[in-house]
Amino acid sequence: MFRSLAPRFPKEFFTCRQCLRGQDYATKSLFRRQFASLPFARDTSRTNSAQLNARSKQFFTPAFQRSAFSSTVAKAAEDGTVKAKSSFPKVSDKKVAYWLLGSAVSVFGIVIFGGLTRLTESGLSITEWRPVTGSLPPMNQADWEVEFEKYRASPEFQLLNPHMTLSEFKSIFYMEWIHRLWGRFVGLSFVFPAIYFVARKQVSKPMTWRLAGIAGLIGFQGFLGWWMVKSGLKDDLFAPGSHPRVSQYRLTAHLGAAFVCYVAMLWNGLAILRSHRLLADSDAGIKLLDSLRNPKLKLFRRSVAGLGLLVFTTVISGALVAGLDAGLIYNEFPYMGNGFAPPKSELFDERYSRHEDRSDLWWRNMLENPSLVQLDHRIMAMTTFTSIMALWAYSRSPAMKKLLPPNVKKGLHGVVSFAFMQVGLGITTLYYLVPIPLASAHQAGSLFLLTWVLVLGSRIWHPSRTAKLLQMAAKARSQPVSSAVNASKKL
């Protein structure tokens, strides 16, 4: 009976100070590391009772408890010292986050440069896909003559550029060569650091699988690029003797995969940095995440996710516009001819149907008819803009003003600003018949808008895994404190 009523102390409590200090600190439990620093765990032979009481009182102050336990647990989770049985850290290192964000910037740049390559009609200048040997450009005059001869055999030269000289060919060749070399750089600068971080156990186990998925997506993106270029090297893509261009379906797949790769890099980088910020102060982190779990924020959080999907869908419709050169018709806004939309007979033209029963009439016009493709892109763009303004108006309601954190409000203001900029660039590009600077800026604007939607989502989303780590930190902090209180009473 007395034994059941006696206070229970852990085994480490009865270990002497010399043993605690002599053991390897890397293998000690959290309680051992903290217990070794307690006032009554030190050598008290030369310490009077007044000094011991002062130290004990100092230990039980809230400030000392926060600094001794909360910061230690947060730092342990941050540095990856609190590890699972697989030896992977709970949270990836900050260097991984900065590397992912740098890779996202590189993907951002290659997307813009790829748009310039298409706008200058340089994408079909290299008629072969040589991933290794194609890394070097022609080194002498004979090599240039060989490359130029291959281009002369392409439909683009025969139908569009029959009078092109070798010097003019070099300019478009270098545009496409830089684009392909940049793609190789993106792949190598991602794969080798990813292997290093995984080998050094600086990434969490879920992040390891995500990095593998992104690496596979980069390799698949290279295949999509050549698959797209290959479609423009044939003269029967649309009709014999027609304007040489790549397939709009393959162009859309190539651009869509690039955007997915960019989103994956950016989102994971932001997630790692956010986890570190929350774990730096576990009390403030738990308080913030508890506020984000408010049921009244559920609609706002889902609206941000839907907005991101809507922006991405609008980008995909813009890729169809670019692939069909649909921006060169109906260069006015908001009208398209005599009304807000062209006649129905033009939008659903039977010439685009390939089946006798016309069962493919509607979807082939939506994907291959330039008039309907441009109308669809206009509708998607205005729907996205209206949704952004509706979300902004909802955030201005009295209830949302109280619940939304300040950084979420700032992120939403950034989304609204880029939405206005993107609409202005789109209308201006249409008015001036798609000039290269405006068209490239319009494509960059779509990436900026999607970036800020992701930033907004990372600020309002509730990270369940990080929340569990914070709960573990709070639990680990409370257990040593309670044990220390009982030990002080015992003394």
Side-chain angles (χ1 to χ4, degrees):
M1 180 183 64
F2 290 106
R3 194 173 184 181
S4 62
L5 296 176
R8 303 299 176 89
F9 296 105
K11 181 177 58 177
E12 290 84 356
F13 182 79
F14 300 97
T15 306
C16 65
R17 176 176 55 86
Q18 288 81 3
C19 292
L20 285 174
R21 291 184 177 181
Q23 293 177 359
D24 185 11
Y25 279 77
T27 60
K28 289 182 181 179
S29 64
L30 178 64
F31 180 83
R32 288 192 177 191
R33 293 197 300 271
Q34 294 300 326
F35 184 77
S37 63
L38 296 182
F40 43 80
R42 301 172 184 173
D43 187 6
T44 58
S45 59
R46 299 182 180 179
T47 306
N48 55 30
S49 59
Q51 292 176 345
L52 181 60
N53 293 334
R55 290 180 182 180
S56 301
K57 291 179 180 179
Q58 180 184 5
F59 166 73
F60 289 108
T61 58
F64 185 88
Q65 293 174 8
R66 286 195 300 268
S67 61
F69 297 106
S70 177
S71 61
T72 303
V73 176
K75 187 176 185 304
E78 180 179 353
D79 295 339
T81 56
V82 181
K83 297 184 179 180
K85 294 181 180 180
S86 61
S87 76
F88 284 94
K90 295 293 184 181
V91 181
S92 301
D93 195 275
K94 278 187 177 181
K95 294 191 292 292
V96 179
Y98 296 137
W99 162 68
L100 283 172
L101 295 180
S103 300
V105 172
S106 184
V107 174
F108 188 103
I110 196 175
V111 169
I112 304 305
F113 194 83
L116 289 173
T117 304
R118 181 189 59 80
L119 291 168
T120 56
E121 296 184 347
S122 305
L124 301 178
S125 58
I126 302 179
T127 58
E128 294 178 343
W129 188 36
R130 295 174 294 176
V132 179
T133 59
S135 301
L136 296 177
M139 306 303 293
N140 51 51
Q141 186 66 21
D143 293 340
W144 278 112
E145 291 291 346
V146 172
E147 290 294 333
F148 192 29
E149 188 63 30
K150 295 176 182 178
Y151 180 68
R152 286 195 187 102
S154 66
E156 185 178 72
F157 177 84
Q158 298 172 3
L159 297 175
L160 295 181
N161 304 318
H163 305 291
M164 177 177 283
T165 62
L166 181 60
S167 61
E168 294 172 339
F169 169 72
K170 289 182 179 181
S171 63
I172 64 173
F173 180 92
Y174 275 119
M175 286 287 293
E176 176 63 13
W177 177 76
I178 293 174
H179 181 60
R180 295 192 183 190
L181 188 65
W182 198 336
R184 295 182 178 95
F185 170 77
V186 170
L188 295 177
S189 63
F190 187 87
V191 172
F192 287 114
I195 295 175
Y196 172 80
F197 287 131
V198 173
R200 295 296 300 271
K201 299 293 190 297
Q202 294 182 356
V203 296
S204 62
K205 194 172 183 179
M207 186 60 64
T208 302
W209 294 106
R210 295 176 192 175
L211 295 182
I214 297 174
L217 182 60
I218 293 175
F220 182 65
Q221 174 72 353
F223 166 76
L224 286 177
W226 168 245
W227 185 55
M228 176 190 67
V229 171
K230 190 177 180 180
S231 66
L233 300 177
K234 300 183 296 182
D235 60 353
D236 59 346
L237 179 62
F238 295 97
S242 62
H243 187 289
R245 62 164 64 98
V246 298
S247 169
Q248 76 274 19
Y249 299 112
R250 302 185 184 186
L251 174 65
T252 302
H254 186 54
L255 183 64
F259 269 68
V260 171
C261 187
Y262 174 77
V263 167
M265 293 176 177
L266 180 64
W267 181 265
N268 286 290
L270 293 175
I272 294 174
L273 291 180
R274 189 190 186 198
S275 297
H276 280 279
R277 285 195 300 269
L278 293 173
L279 290 170
D281 188 350
S282 58
D283 292 334
I286 293 176
K287 184 177 180 181
L288 176 61
L289 293 186
D290 288 342
S291 65
L292 292 179
R293 293 184 63 181
N294 194 315
K296 296 181 180 179
L297 291 177
K298 190 175 182 179
L299 177 60
F300 187 89
R301 186 160 43 246
R302 290 184 176 180
S303 299
V304 174
L307 184 60
L309 182 61
L310 192 58
V311 172
F312 181 79
T313 307
T314 307
V315 170
I316 296 301
S317 67
L320 290 174
V321 173
L324 295 172
D325 291 332
L328 299 177
I329 60 175
Y330 292 113
N331 302 102
E332 52 192 346
F333 188 86
Y335 295 101
M336 296 181 69
N338 296 327
F340 290 105
K344 184 178 179 181
S345 58
E346 181 181 346
L347 294 177
F348 295 94
D349 195 337
E350 295 183 356
R351 290 178 296 177
Y352 291 95
S353 177
R354 300 181 186 179
H355 296 168
E356 295 182 357
D357 58 353
R358 308 300 183 191
S359 59
D360 60 341
L361 177 65
W362 66 274
W363 69 264
R364 284 199 178 274
N365 276 274
M366 289 186 66
L367 300 177
E368 299 178 3
N369 186 346
S371 299
L372 185 54
V373 166
Q374 188 190 128
L375 178 62
D376 292 340
H377 185 59
R378 290 189 180 202
I379 294 174
M380 291 298 302
M382 297 312 299
T383 302
T384 303
F385 180 78
T386 304
S387 301
I388 292 174
M389 298 310 299
L391 185 63
W392 176 79
Y394 178 61
S395 69
R396 302 294 296 175
S397 63
M400 288 295 102
K401 279 185 177 181
K402 297 179 180 179
L403 294 177
L404 291 178
N407 62 342
V408 175
K409 297 177 182 178
K410 293 178 181 179
L412 185 56
H413 291 162
V415 172
V416 172
S417 300
F418 279 108
F420 273 102
M421 182 194 70
Q422 182 68 350
V423 170
L425 285 172
I427 296 174
T428 308
T429 302
L430 195 64
Y431 275 149
Y432 288 95
L433 296 175
V434 196
I436 292 178
L438 285 177
S440 181
H442 185 54
Q443 186 175 14
S446 64
L447 266 174
F448 276 118
L449 179 59
L450 183 59
T451 299
W452 273 101
V453 172
L454 290 174
V455 170
L456 176 61
S458 68
R459 293 177 178 180
I460 194 64
W461 207 256
H462 183 272
S464 57
R465 193 167 184 273
T466 304
K468 291 180 180 179
L469 292 178
L470 288 172
Q471 292 175 0
M472 291 171 58
K475 185 177 180 181
R477 183 180 69 246
S478 62
Q479 288 179 350
V481 171
S482 60
S483 300
V485 169
N486 294 332
S488 178
K489 291 180 179 179
K490 181 71 175 181
L491 293 176

